[in-house]
Amino acid sequence: MPALLLRIFIPEIAIILRSAWYQLMNLIFNLLFFLYFSCLGIYGPYLAVYLADKNFSGVQIGFLLGSLPIAILIASPIWSYFSDVLNKRKILLVVGCLGAGLSTYALGRADQYSLNFLWIILMAIMSAPILPIGTAIVLDALESQGSREKFSLVRLWGSLGFAITSLIWGTFFLEEITRYLPWGLAGLFFLLGAISLLLPEKATDFTYSGLSGLKILTQNKRFTFYLLGSVFIGASISAYNNYQTIFFQSLDASALLIGIIVSIQAFVEIPTMLWMPFLFKHLSMRVMIMIGAFALILRWALYLITQQGIYALPIQLLNGLGIPAFFVVGVAYVDRIVSPKWRATAQGLYNAALLGIGSGIGVYLAGMVYEWFNVRSIWVLNIIFGLIGMVLLGLAFWGPKTGE
């Protein structure tokens, strides 16, 4: 009788424990994305204001902001490649979080421009692996659960973190950004490192040989064209991220309104991400990505004719289509067209294209346009970026597909 009871209840207990474990891991994944995008919610919209309040010149600020994507471009694929080859994703992720936190702490104690430049660049280098490696870990875990399509439900916590943090900092800390930005950011990075220690580390049986993986990826024409298209989409997004506050200030928007405008763009992403598992079943990834690219172009066109800050609020609704297309669907698309063996490497290259090369091009050219013309002219540049990006994405989706 006891043996019979054990045979009946042990499988049930195992199912309950496995379900509880999955729920705990999903909670940790949610916290990981919430905290990382909370970091972005601080330094993304407000780093330029922070530097300006420290009385650095426009040339100095432009040089530093333009150097950040270069640092990400170099660092992100290297971190991701070694995380795949060494199969030490979690350790490298923790190291990156702690290094970013220490760099940001040092930034708060730096006065000279050279030291500010050093610590911000080091922060970018150390934080570069967080998104691609963290994404690879989450995708591995969701795949083992048989629920990879639910990545959007994890990623929406990133949007929530960005929205809440950018609203709080824009509303309450914008006037004293030099005092609070480094300490708040350092604390979030340290907390992110602590959460990363709880992530699962998946053992793999893959074997690696030199740089063969990079050769395989670059021979994948679909992947190559998608990266090229992402460069120009990323250029438009980064130009917006770095100059949005200046644009809204040019419309005489108050600090409270700017905080609301910046934060609401992330809030409107959440409904789209909640619907993403349903959309994946009824729309192809190609269609969703192209819709997102068009939504971004339309957004820049509407900004071009906007004359008052309050009118930016309804325009931000388009962010709910544009950003999830590249930071959720795009991630899934890259994961689908490359081997799981090179999951982190592929995400690192995608991150470098979108936020490295693209960001560098966008910030640098937007700065030139701002200096030669005015901040409104940046939206013309963004429309051009978007159109070029859509053409390249079309080649990725409907062009040559050999080498996969």
Side-chain angles (χ1 to χ4, degrees):
M1 187 68 175
L4 177 61
L5 291 175
L6 286 175
R7 284 198 298 270
I8 294 174
F9 287 108
I10 285 181
E12 296 297 327
I13 294 173
I15 292 173
I16 293 172
L17 291 176
R18 183 162 55 248
S19 176
W21 173 253
Y22 286 164
Q23 291 179 17
L24 177 61
M25 286 299 100
N26 289 339
L27 175 61
I28 293 172
F29 300 155
N30 295 342
L31 282 173
L32 178 76
F33 276 81
F34 183 90
L35 292 173
Y36 174 72
F37 281 91
S38 292
C39 294
L40 293 186
I42 294 178
Y43 77 78
Y46 305 119
L47 182 58
V49 179
Y50 171 81
L51 296 171
D53 283 359
K54 297 189 82 169
N55 297 317
F56 296 135
S57 69
V59 174
Q60 289 175 317
I61 294 172
F63 181 70
L64 199 158
L65 293 178
S67 300
L68 282 176
I70 297 175
I72 295 174
L73 168 64
I74 296 172
S76 185
I78 294 175
W79 280 97
S80 300
Y81 175 78
F82 280 106
S83 76
D84 275 336
V85 172
L86 300 176
N87 194 24
K88 299 293 182 182
R89 292 174 178 171
K90 184 167 72 172
I91 293 176
L92 293 179
L93 184 58
V94 172
V95 169
C97 292
L98 295 180
L102 290 171
S103 302
T104 312
Y105 173 79
L107 173 66
R109 306 179 66 85
D111 295 321
Q112 299 177 354
Y113 176 76
S114 58
L115 290 178
N116 279 264
F117 181 89
L118 171 66
W119 294 122
I120 291 177
I121 293 298
L122 188 58
M123 182 269 289
I125 292 173
M126 298 305 295
S127 64
I130 298 176
L131 184 58
I133 295 180
T135 298
I137 291 174
V138 171
L139 287 172
D140 274 342
L142 292 178
E143 187 175 60
S144 67
Q145 297 177 21
S147 56
R148 190 172 61 172
E149 73 282 355
K150 294 184 179 179
F151 174 73
S152 63
L153 302 182
V154 176
R155 175 57 179 81
L156 72 82
W157 285 91
S159 298
L160 188 62
F162 183 96
I164 293 174
T165 307
S166 60
L167 176 61
I168 291 173
W169 283 78
T171 304
F172 299 106
F173 299 111
L174 188 59
E175 301 298 328
E176 296 186 67
I177 198 75
T178 54
R179 176 184 298 181
Y180 295 111
L181 184 144
W183 314 119
L185 194 54
L188 285 174
F189 275 127
F190 288 139
L191 186 56
L192 190 59
I195 293 297
S196 299
L197 288 171
L198 303 177
L199 291 171
E201 186 77 89
K202 179 181 177 182
T204 66
D205 298 324
F206 297 135
T207 57
Y208 297 86
S209 177
L211 299 177
S212 60
L214 296 180
K215 182 178 179 181
I216 292 171
L217 291 176
T218 55
Q219 288 178 344
N220 185 332
K221 288 184 171 60
R222 182 185 294 188
F223 183 56
T224 300
F225 277 114
Y226 184 73
L227 291 184
L228 290 174
S230 300
V231 165
F232 288 94
I233 297 297
S236 70
I237 294 173
S238 294
Y240 165 76
N241 285 338
N242 282 276
Y243 291 94
Q244 60 177 321
T245 303
I246 296 175
F247 174 67
F248 298 138
Q249 287 175 334
S250 74
L251 301 178
D252 295 324
S254 65
L256 174 60
L257 180 58
I258 291 174
I260 294 173
I261 293 171
V262 172
S263 64
I264 199 172
Q265 65 183 349
F267 279 119
V268 299
E269 296 171 10
I270 295 174
T272 304
M273 294 183 186
L274 286 172
W275 277 88
M276 201 65 75
F278 172 82
L279 294 175
F280 275 128
K281 295 178 181 179
H282 294 84
L283 292 175
S284 70
M285 293 183 187
R286 297 178 298 177
V287 170
M288 287 191 281
I289 291 172
M290 293 300 278
I291 289 175
F294 177 77
L296 289 175
I297 295 173
L298 179 59
R299 186 183 181 191
W300 314 140
L302 292 174
Y303 275 140
L304 185 61
I305 60 176
T306 298
Q307 300 297 325
Q308 296 184 35
I310 193 68
Y311 295 143
L313 288 173
I315 298 174
Q316 298 296 65
L317 293 173
L318 292 169
N319 196 71
L321 295 175
I323 297 302
F326 291 94
F327 289 88
V328 178
V329 185
V331 167
Y333 179 76
V334 168
D335 194 62
R336 191 186 72 178
I337 63 175
V338 300
S339 168
K341 175 179 179 178
W342 297 105
R343 175 168 279 151
T345 303
Q347 295 297 336
L349 290 172
Y350 180 45
N351 191 60
L354 194 66
L355 302 177
I357 302 174
S359 183
I361 293 173
V363 171
Y364 178 73
L365 292 182
M368 294 176 62
V369 168
Y370 176 46
E371 182 175 347
W372 293 344
F373 303 100
N374 52 51
V375 67
R376 186 179 298 275
S377 301
I378 291 174
W379 311 129
V380 177
L381 178 67
N382 273 9
I383 292 171
I384 296 172
F385 282 150
L387 291 173
I388 296 174
M390 283 195 73
V391 171
L392 291 170
L393 291 174
L395 291 174
F397 300 148
W398 296 286
K401 299 178 182 178
T402 57
E404 298 178 20

